[in-house]
Protein backbone atom coordinates (compact mmCIF):
# COMPACT_ATOMS: atom_id res chain seq x y z
CA UNK A 1 0.00 0.00 0.00
CA UNK A 2 1.40 3.40 -0.87
CA UNK A 3 1.60 6.28 1.56
CA UNK A 4 -0.96 8.45 -0.29
CA UNK A 5 -3.63 5.75 -0.04
CA UNK A 6 -2.83 5.25 3.64
CA UNK A 7 -3.19 9.01 4.33
CA UNK A 8 -6.47 9.14 2.40
CA UNK A 9 -8.00 6.21 4.33
CA UNK A 10 -6.86 7.67 7.65
CA UNK A 11 -8.49 11.00 6.73
CA UNK A 12 -11.71 9.22 5.77
CA UNK A 13 -11.79 7.35 9.11
CA UNK A 14 -11.22 10.59 11.02
CA UNK A 15 -13.99 12.31 9.04
CA UNK A 16 -16.43 9.47 9.77
CA UNK A 17 -15.52 9.54 13.48
CA UNK A 18 -16.21 13.29 13.62
CA UNK A 19 -19.56 12.83 11.89
CA UNK A 20 -20.70 10.14 14.34
CA UNK A 21 -19.50 12.06 17.39
CA UNK A 22 -22.34 13.30 19.56
CA UNK A 23 -22.20 15.71 22.48
CA UNK A 24 -24.73 15.41 25.28
CA UNK A 25 -26.39 18.76 25.86
CA UNK A 26 -28.10 19.92 29.04
CA UNK A 27 -31.62 21.07 28.13
CA UNK A 28 -33.76 22.98 30.61
CA UNK A 29 -37.47 22.71 31.47
CA UNK A 30 -38.84 25.41 33.78
CA UNK A 31 -41.90 25.05 35.97
CA UNK A 32 -43.73 27.26 38.40
CA UNK A 33 -45.00 25.74 41.62
CA UNK A 34 -48.63 26.39 40.67
CA UNK A 35 -48.61 24.69 37.25
CA UNK A 36 -51.78 23.52 35.56
CA UNK A 37 -52.12 19.88 34.48
CA UNK A 38 -52.06 20.63 30.74
CA UNK A 39 -49.02 22.89 31.08
CA UNK A 40 -47.28 20.18 33.11
CA UNK A 41 -48.03 17.57 30.43
CA UNK A 42 -46.63 19.88 27.74
CA UNK A 43 -43.38 20.35 29.70
CA UNK A 44 -43.18 16.61 30.40
CA UNK A 45 -43.56 15.71 26.71
CA UNK A 46 -40.90 18.25 25.80
CA UNK A 47 -38.54 16.69 28.36
CA UNK A 48 -39.31 13.19 27.02
CA UNK A 49 -38.29 14.34 23.56
CA UNK A 50 -34.99 15.65 24.92
CA UNK A 51 -34.33 12.38 26.77
CA UNK A 52 -35.20 10.28 23.71
CA UNK A 53 -32.67 12.32 21.74
CA UNK A 54 -30.02 11.48 24.37
CA UNK A 55 -29.80 14.89 26.07
CA UNK A 56 -29.85 15.57 29.80
CA UNK A 57 -32.79 17.53 31.20
CA UNK A 58 -32.52 20.11 33.97
CA UNK A 59 -35.93 20.49 35.61
CA UNK A 60 -36.21 23.82 37.41
CA UNK A 61 -39.00 25.14 39.62
CA UNK A 62 -39.11 28.89 40.14
CA UNK A 63 -40.47 30.06 43.48
CA UNK A 64 -42.03 33.51 43.85
CA UNK A 65 -43.20 35.29 46.97
CA UNK A 66 -44.81 33.00 49.51
CA UNK A 67 -44.03 29.94 47.41
CA UNK A 68 -40.48 30.11 48.80
CA UNK A 69 -41.79 29.03 52.21
CA UNK A 70 -43.14 25.76 50.67
CA UNK A 71 -40.12 23.90 49.28
CA UNK A 72 -41.70 20.51 50.08
CA UNK A 73 -44.33 21.13 47.39
CA UNK A 74 -41.53 21.74 44.91
CA UNK A 75 -39.87 18.47 45.92
CA UNK A 76 -43.19 16.67 45.41
CA UNK A 77 -43.62 18.16 41.93
CA UNK A 78 -40.09 17.23 40.88
CA UNK A 79 -40.51 13.68 42.22
CA UNK A 80 -43.73 13.34 40.21
CA UNK A 81 -41.83 14.62 37.15
CA UNK A 82 -39.05 12.07 37.77
CA UNK A 83 -41.61 9.23 37.98
CA UNK A 84 -43.31 10.37 34.77
CA UNK A 85 -40.07 10.43 32.74
CA UNK A 86 -38.52 7.35 34.39
CA UNK A 87 -39.14 5.34 31.19
CA UNK A 88 -36.66 7.55 29.30
CA UNK A 89 -34.25 8.74 31.99
CA UNK A 90 -32.94 8.46 35.53
CA UNK A 91 -32.43 11.12 38.18
CA UNK A 92 -28.78 12.18 38.32
CA UNK A 93 -29.10 14.82 41.03
CA UNK A 94 -31.88 14.99 43.60
CA UNK A 95 -33.93 18.19 43.98
CA UNK A 96 -31.91 20.93 45.67
CA UNK A 97 -32.64 24.56 46.38
CA UNK A 98 -30.56 27.11 44.49
CA UNK A 99 -31.64 30.59 45.60
CA UNK A 100 -35.23 31.09 44.45
CA UNK A 101 -35.12 27.96 42.29
CA UNK A 102 -35.21 24.23 42.91
CA UNK A 103 -33.19 22.15 40.44
CA UNK A 104 -33.06 18.47 39.50
CA UNK A 105 -31.09 16.85 36.64
CA UNK A 106 -32.43 13.82 34.75
CA UNK A 107 -30.05 11.87 32.51
CA UNK A 108 -31.10 9.74 29.52
CA UNK A 109 -31.09 5.94 29.67
CA UNK A 110 -29.26 5.68 26.34
CA UNK A 111 -26.38 7.90 25.34
CA UNK A 112 -26.49 10.44 22.54
CA UNK A 113 -24.73 8.32 19.93
CA UNK A 114 -27.11 5.36 20.47
CA UNK A 115 -30.13 7.67 20.18
CA UNK A 116 -28.70 9.22 17.02
CA UNK A 117 -28.05 5.80 15.45
CA UNK A 118 -31.58 4.66 16.32
CA UNK A 119 -33.10 7.80 14.78
CA UNK A 120 -31.08 7.28 11.59
CA UNK A 121 -32.25 3.65 11.38
CA UNK A 122 -35.89 4.72 11.77
CA UNK A 123 -35.45 7.39 9.12
CA UNK A 124 -33.95 4.85 6.70
CA UNK A 125 -36.80 2.41 7.39
CA UNK A 126 -39.44 5.08 6.78
CA UNK A 127 -37.79 6.00 3.47
CA UNK A 128 -37.82 2.33 2.43
CA UNK A 129 -41.54 1.87 3.18
CA UNK A 130 -42.89 4.43 0.67
CA UNK A 131 -40.61 3.00 -2.03
CA UNK A 132 -42.06 -0.49 -1.42
CA UNK A 133 -45.60 0.90 -1.54
CA UNK A 134 -44.89 2.63 -4.86
CA UNK A 135 -43.59 -0.64 -6.34
CA UNK A 136 -46.72 -2.47 -5.17
CA UNK A 137 -48.94 0.18 -6.79
CA UNK A 138 -47.11 -0.14 -10.10
CA UNK A 139 -47.47 -3.94 -10.10
CA UNK A 140 -51.27 -3.85 -9.58
CA UNK A 141 -53.37 -3.68 -12.77
CA UNK A 142 -55.06 -0.36 -13.26
CA UNK A 143 -58.62 -0.28 -14.58
CA UNK A 144 -59.78 2.80 -16.35
CA UNK A 145 -63.40 3.86 -16.39
CA UNK A 146 -63.57 5.39 -19.85
CA UNK A 147 -66.33 4.73 -22.36
CA UNK A 148 -63.98 2.80 -24.67
CA UNK A 149 -63.61 -0.13 -22.24
CA UNK A 150 -67.35 -0.65 -21.75
Amino acid sequence: MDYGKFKYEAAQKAKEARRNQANTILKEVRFRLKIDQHDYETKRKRAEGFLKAGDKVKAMIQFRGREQSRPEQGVRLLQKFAEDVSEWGTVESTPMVDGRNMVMVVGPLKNKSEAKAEANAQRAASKARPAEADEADEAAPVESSTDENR
Side-chain angles (χ1 to χ4, degrees):
M1 176 187 316
D2 65 348
Y3 183 66
K5 186 175 182 181
F6 171 75
K7 274 183 70 173
Y8 173 77
E9 289 179 357
Q12 292 302 314
K13 283 184 183 179
K15 182 179 176 183
E16 186 69 25
R18 278 194 308 272
R19 187 182 323 153
N20 291 335
Q21 183 180 17
N23 297 329
T24 301
I25 302 170
L26 183 66
K27 305 282 187 163
E28 189 171 301
V29 179
R30 292 186 179 189
F31 299 102
R32 288 282 312 279
L33 189 59
K34 294 187 263 182
I35 188 168
D36 191 45
Q37 184 64 31
H38 179 266
D39 297 332
Y40 172 79
E41 291 298 321
T42 303
K43 302 277 187 176
R44 181 187 57 80
K45 287 179 184 175
R46 192 81 171 128
E48 286 175 9
F50 294 148
L51 290 169
K52 286 179 186 176
D55 295 321
K56 291 183 180 184
V57 175
K58 178 180 178 182
M60 177 186 290
I61 296 181
Q62 299 172 323
F63 293 105
R64 293 191 181 156
R66 287 188 183 176
E67 293 175 353
Q68 292 177 4
S69 64
R70 304 279 186 184
E72 67 276 357
Q73 289 181 351
V75 170
R76 247 185 279 137
L77 180 61
L78 286 177
Q79 287 175 342
K80 178 184 174 197
F81 177 76
E83 289 174 15
D84 291 344
V85 298
S86 63
E87 186 176 333
W88 297 278
T90 58
V91 176
E92 289 188 357
S93 71
T94 58
M96 56 187 177
V97 177
D98 180 29
R100 294 172 53 163
N101 302 323
M102 185 172 283
V103 180
M104 177 180 74
V105 178
V106 180
L109 291 178
K110 53 187 170 191
N111 62 19
K112 184 83 170 179
S113 58
E114 290 175 2
K116 195 173 180 182
E118 187 175 298
N120 288 341
Q122 287 179 350
R123 193 175 308 120
S126 65
K127 283 184 180 179
R129 277 192 218 117
E132 292 172 3
D134 291 342
E135 292 172 5
D137 290 341
E138 292 173 3
V142 177
E143 295 182 24
S144 62
S145 61
T146 60
D147 292 332
E148 298 170 3
N149 293 338
R150 292 184 187 173

